[in-house]
Amino acid sequence: MGGRALFEPRGDAWALVLCSGDALCQVDYLVRARVPAADADAIVRALRDAEQSVRAERLAKMRSVAGTVTAEQMPS
């Protein structure tokens, strides 16, 4: 299992928006997913910094996901 997940705050909780692989490391992709450009840039920068300490094997799993699944596409 691998990939990355994008969550957004909704009220007092966090809600899953979508799951993907390396697409979530791209500002333009996040903007297309309705993330404001300044926030998308900050997310990508923070993600790059955070992933520098992740083991190569784990990064490979995170990158292994092809495509994107939105929360609406997931079974309830």
Side-chain angles (χ1 to χ4, degrees), residues 1-68:
M1 201 78 171
R4 295 175 177 88
L6 178 65
F7 289 83
E8 69 180 1
R10 291 190 189 159
D12 293 336
W14 288 91
L16 179 65
V17 176
L18 58 87
C19 295
S20 189
D22 279 346
L24 288 179
C25 300
Q26 301 169 7
V27 172
D28 62 327
Y29 182 83
L30 292 172
V31 170
R32 287 194 312 271
R34 298 174 307 190
V35 175
D39 293 341
D41 186 62
I43 289 168
V44 168
R45 288 174 189 259
L47 185 58
R48 285 183 188 146
D49 289 345
E51 288 186 355
Q52 287 183 9
S53 63
V54 177
R55 291 187 333 264
E57 299 84 22
R58 186 168 190 154
L59 279 175
K61 286 183 181 180
M62 293 164 67
R63 292 179 175 134
S64 69
V65 173
T68 298

Side-chain angles (χ1 to χ4, degrees), residues 71-76:
E72 291 83 21
Q73 295 171 314
M74 294 178 192
S76 49

